[in-house]
Amino acid sequence: MKRISVIILFNLFALCFCISCNEIYHHNTNIHISESALDYTMYVHYPPGETHAVENYMDCKIGRSSDMSFVNSRIDAQLTLNDHTTFYLKKYPGYLKIKLDKARNSEQAYDRIKNMCEGIKKVLAGK
């Protein structure tokens, strides 16, 4: 009987720990932007509940002019937009990675993607 009580107590502790870790993860936003002479990269981990807002913003900034939609999609691909902007995109609920190779893109394409990334930061900050 004592052994069963210890097992139950351990399982309850493990369950509480998992739930608390899950809650911590789902309320934090982690944004990392790096830029070098060769590329511009943005990694974002955010609450999955914010995914729709991020997708709509991306549609507004680059999707509509290229006849593509980011809403309700999981993407892990090299994309080329109608204006010949080429970049790597990986996205799923709560995660986004954008990597733009500066050598393969024009200055206008770089500015457009960089501005979109700055806007995504604002969307996730609620501004």
Side-chain angles (χ1 to χ4, degrees), residues 42-106:
M42 177 182 195
Y43 298 93
V44 185
H45 286 275
Y46 57 91
E50 299 292 325
T51 299
H52 192 66
V54 171
E55 291 172 338
N56 283 333
Y57 183 79
M58 290 175 68
D59 273 1
C60 179
K61 287 299 186 184
I62 62 172
R64 290 181 186 155
S65 62
S66 295
D67 297 324
M68 71 174 12
S69 179
F70 298 99
V71 176
N72 297 325
S73 64
R74 289 177 176 253
I75 301 172
D76 185 2
Q78 187 79 20
L79 300 178
T80 302
L81 304 178
N82 289 347
D83 67 354
H84 304 292
T85 300
T86 301
F87 62 99
Y88 172 75
L89 175 69
K90 182 173 185 174
K91 81 170 216 47
Y92 54 84
Y95 179 81
L96 176 66
K97 177 183 177 183
I98 297 172
K99 184 172 183 179
L100 177 90
D101 182 343
K102 291 180 179 180
R104 293 184 65 191
N105 290 284
S106 68

Side-chain angles (χ1 to χ4, degrees), residues 4 8 12 15 17 20 26 35 38 43 53 58 70 76-77 81 100 115-116:
I4 292 174
I8 290 173
L12 284 174
L15 179 64
F17 180 76
S20 67
H26 286 295
E35 185 169 3
L38 302 176
Y43 298 93
M58 290 175 68
F70 298 99
D76 185 2
L81 304 178
L100 177 90
N115 288 335
M116 181 187 69

